[in-house]
């Protein structure tokens, strides 16, 4: 089957920043992304999980965006403005998709 | 002194405090006991609705007067002023840097609605009435502290607050529900309360017990995880600041001419520290500040202190001042 090269960007960020990152991506003309809840993990502050969190200040979400390579820079520039000072991870991997016209 | 000890002992053995203690103990013992996220959310929605509604009904029964407006203004002033005192005290007692001290200070001007709910429950158990509009005062005290904290750190530098953050603070779900239920109670009055009293009055304390069990679990986990970050000075601040805030609340209550119950609630509001609205605002506006410090202090130190010792202390002091 014919596949097409693309870039998969995963942005794990504080839940409180979810709407701001969504808005920034939309403004950068990145309209296709998925947001997943993060159950828990470990970072510089140690282990954490979603159980029993009392406010919106805690918790993380993960954005998954798949874009064509030429649109990667615009996406990262928009995302960086939002995530720069916040807890989180941004990573980029190569991937392949079936329907290139959707990205 | 004897009265304070009796009140504290009664409070310690109340189902509300014992449920909280169970939660803390279970968390510290690393039990897998947990309240499902959605259930905890539902419990908090119930409590906010019930407390707002009953406050509105009380205002409908007693009417609106000038004291209501003045109490709102006093609430805003207290909320804006207390972070400045908290900041100075925290800097004197602990080695926290300006940024983290300002972030913590913001929490101590804002309020904990659960502490407020617990105080209303103690007043009801003691047969002491309070002004129903204290619910509105609680809502008014949420946000000004955030501005004070940001002022402390930026001193005129703009850019920390944006329009969406303003909207999130002023229209956060808790405030909308509390104020909305207050107005529904005010509009429907005693008749409205009679229609739903079996839902908002009878189960209230039982629901509060379950909610505080969950809060105990959260506080215990927070202490286990973040306790190491807090020095003795910070912990001392978490215990000393509530009575200082309560003293300002007492003064304001006396100046406003509030009832004994209203004054105790204003003292409790001034003594409590936010762990929902302010942490969220601080994560956006001051992302460099360490959330483990301010969350552990407000939820792991000050909230249990107020719940177990603070509320009976404020009631006893206010009773003494009022000669009740």
């Amino acid at each position: 089957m014919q596949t097409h090269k693309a870039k998969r960007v995963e942005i794990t960020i504080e839940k409180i920043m979810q709407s701001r990152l969504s808005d920034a991506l939309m403004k950068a003309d990145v309209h296709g992304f998925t947001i997943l809840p993060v159950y828990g993990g470990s970072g510089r502050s140690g282990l954490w999980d979603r159980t029993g969190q009392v406010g919106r200040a805690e918790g993380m979400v993960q954005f998954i965006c798949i874009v064509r390579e030429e649109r990667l820079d615009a996406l990262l520039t928009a995302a960086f403005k939002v995530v720069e000072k916040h807890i989180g991870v941004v990573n980029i991997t190569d991937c392949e998709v079936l329907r290139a016209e959707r990205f | 002194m004897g009265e304070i000890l009796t009140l504290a002992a009664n409070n310690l053995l109340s189902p509300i405090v014992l449920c909280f203690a169970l939660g803390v103990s279970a968390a510290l013992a690393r039990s897998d006991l947990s309240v499902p996220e959605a259930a905890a959310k539902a419990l908090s929605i119930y409590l906010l609705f019930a407390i707002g509604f009953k406050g509105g009904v009380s205002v409908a029964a007693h009417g609106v007067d000038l004291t209501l407006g003045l109490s709102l203004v006093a609430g805003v002033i207290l909320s804006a002023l207390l972070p400045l005192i908290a900041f100075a005290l925290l800097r004197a007692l602990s080695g926290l840097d300006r940024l983290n001290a300002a972030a913590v200070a913001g929490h101590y001007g804002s309020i904990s609605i659960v502490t407020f709910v617990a105080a209303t429950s103690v007043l009801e158990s003691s047969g002491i009435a309070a002004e129903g509009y204290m619910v509105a005062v609680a809502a008014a005290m949420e946000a000004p502290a955030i501005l004070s904290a940001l002022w402390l750190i930026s001193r005129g530098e703009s850019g920390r607050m944006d329009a969406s953050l303003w909207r999130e603070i002023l229209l956060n779900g808790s405030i909308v529900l509390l104020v909305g239920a207050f107005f529904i109670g005010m509009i429907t009055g005693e008749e409205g309360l009679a229609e739903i009293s079996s839902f908002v009055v009878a189960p209230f304390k039982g629901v509060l017990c379950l909610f505080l069990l969950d809060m105990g679990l959260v506080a215990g986990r927070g202490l286990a995880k973040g306790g190491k970050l807090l020095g003795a000075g910070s912990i001392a601040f978490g215990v000393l600041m509530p009575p200082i805030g309560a003293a300002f609340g007492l003064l304001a209550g006396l100046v406003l001419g509030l009832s004994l119950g209203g004054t105790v609630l204003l003292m409790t509001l001034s003594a409590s520290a936010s762990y929902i609205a302010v942490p969220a605002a601080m994560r956006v506006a001051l992302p460099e500040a360490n959330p483990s410090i301010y969350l552990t202090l407000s939820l792991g130190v000050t909230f249990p202190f107020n719940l177990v010792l603070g509320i009976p202390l404020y009631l006893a002091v206010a009773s003494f001042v009022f000669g009740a």
Side-chain angles (χ1 to χ4, degrees):
Chain A
M1 186 172 278
Q2 173 71 45
T3 59
H4 307 272
K5 287 187 186 305
K7 293 286 183 183
R8 176 187 165 108
V9 181
E10 291 174 357
I11 306 170
T12 307
I13 190 168
E14 294 166 276
K15 190 172 188 311
I16 190 74
M17 300 305 290
Q18 181 181 319
S19 61
R20 288 171 176 78
L21 183 54
S22 299
D23 292 346
L25 291 176
M26 298 293 260
K27 272 188 195 163
D29 218 20
V30 178
H31 296 283
F33 52 84
T34 303
I35 305 169
L36 303 174
V38 174
Y39 187 77
S42 180
R44 280 191 294 184
S45 304
L47 271 170
W48 70 274
D49 68 63
R50 277 172 60 186
T51 314
Q53 289 181 351
V54 75
R56 294 176 302 129
E58 300 166 279
M60 310 283 285
V61 291
Q62 188 175 63
F63 281 67
I64 299 173
C65 325
I66 296 175
V67 292
R68 274 175 278 167
E69 190 162 4
E70 61 268 27
R71 298 183 60 202
L72 179 65
D73 202 48
L75 186 161
L76 293 178
T77 304
F80 187 70
K81 283 179 190 163
V82 180
V83 305
E84 185 184 2
K85 290 181 179 174
H86 289 267
I87 299 165
V89 178
V90 181
N91 67 73
I92 304 135
T93 47
D94 293 324
C95 67
E96 293 187 29
V97 295
L98 294 182
R99 296 168 294 184
E101 71 281 3
R102 297 201 170 202
F103 302 89
Chain B
M1 189 65 190
E3 194 184 346
I4 295 176
L5 288 174
T6 309
L7 268 168
N10 289 341
N11 190 52
L12 276 174
L13 295 176
S14 68
I16 293 170
V17 172
L18 290 176
C19 282
F20 180 78
L22 173 62
V24 173
S25 310
L28 292 177
R30 296 190 177 180
S31 161
D32 65 353
L33 174 64
S34 68
V35 176
E37 201 176 327
K41 181 81 181 164
L43 294 175
S44 76
I45 287 173
Y46 169 84
L47 291 172
L48 288 168
F49 177 79
I51 200 78
F53 188 86
K54 286 190 279 187
V57 171
S58 171
V59 169
H62 298 103
V64 175
D65 57 21
L66 181 65
T67 318
L68 189 159
L70 292 175
S71 299
L72 288 173
V73 172
V76 169
I77 292 170
L78 281 169
S79 175
L81 173 72
L82 288 172
L84 310 183
I85 297 161
F87 181 75
L89 182 64
L90 194 53
R91 294 278 284 169
L93 287 177
S94 75
L96 281 186
D97 57 79
R98 284 184 63 85
L99 183 81
N100 280 300
V104 171
H107 292 67
Y108 284 79
S110 189
I111 58 113
S112 149
I113 199 69
V114 184
T115 313
F116 176 80
V117 172
T120 58
S121 181
V122 170
L123 289 179
E124 278 175 20
S125 302
S126 309
I128 299 170
E131 287 81 355
Y133 53 73
M134 292 311 293
V135 170
V137 177
M141 289 180 76
E142 280 260 29
I146 298 168
L147 290 180
S148 294
L150 297 183
W151 179 80
L152 279 167
I153 205 65
S154 58
R155 300 280 171 91
E157 171 199 325
S158 60
R160 295 271 186 186
M161 299 283 282
D162 58 28
S164 60
L165 182 55
W166 271 114
R167 196 188 64 246
E168 282 170 27
I169 293 168
L170 297 176
L171 293 178
N172 83 68
S174 304
I175 297 275
V176 170
L177 181 58
L178 190 68
V179 176
F182 174 78
F183 280 113
I184 293 171
M186 212 162 87
I187 293 164
T188 58
E190 294 284 358
E191 283 181 22
L193 181 62
E195 284 181 38
I196 59 169
S197 67
S198 59
F199 177 69
V200 296
V201 179
F204 186 80
K205 276 196 181 173
V207 174
L208 184 56
C209 283
L210 279 183
F211 188 71
L212 283 171
L213 171 70
D214 184 47
M215 292 297 292
L217 287 165
V218 175
R221 287 192 191 110
L223 267 180
K225 193 179 124 189
K228 295 168 215 150
L229 279 170
L230 301 179
S234 298
I235 294 170
F237 166 83
V239 174
L240 283 175
M241 188 58 208
I244 292 172
F248 278 87
L250 173 65
L251 190 65
L254 292 172
V255 171
L256 290 165
L258 294 178
S259 67
L260 169 61
T263 302
V264 172
L265 290 183
L266 192 56
M267 290 172 80
T268 304
L269 286 172
S270 305
S272 68
S274 171
Y275 42 77
I276 297 178
V278 180
M282 289 302 141
R283 284 314 302 146
V284 176
L286 293 179
E288 307 92 337
N290 187 343
S292 296
I293 296 174
Y294 51 70
L295 273 171
T296 308
L297 258 180
S298 65
L299 192 56
V301 179
T302 297
F303 178 69
F305 171 79
N306 276 328
L307 193 66
V308 177
L309 295 174
I311 294 171
L313 174 69
Y314 311 144
L315 175 57
V317 170
S319 299
F320 176 76
V321 171
F322 276 74

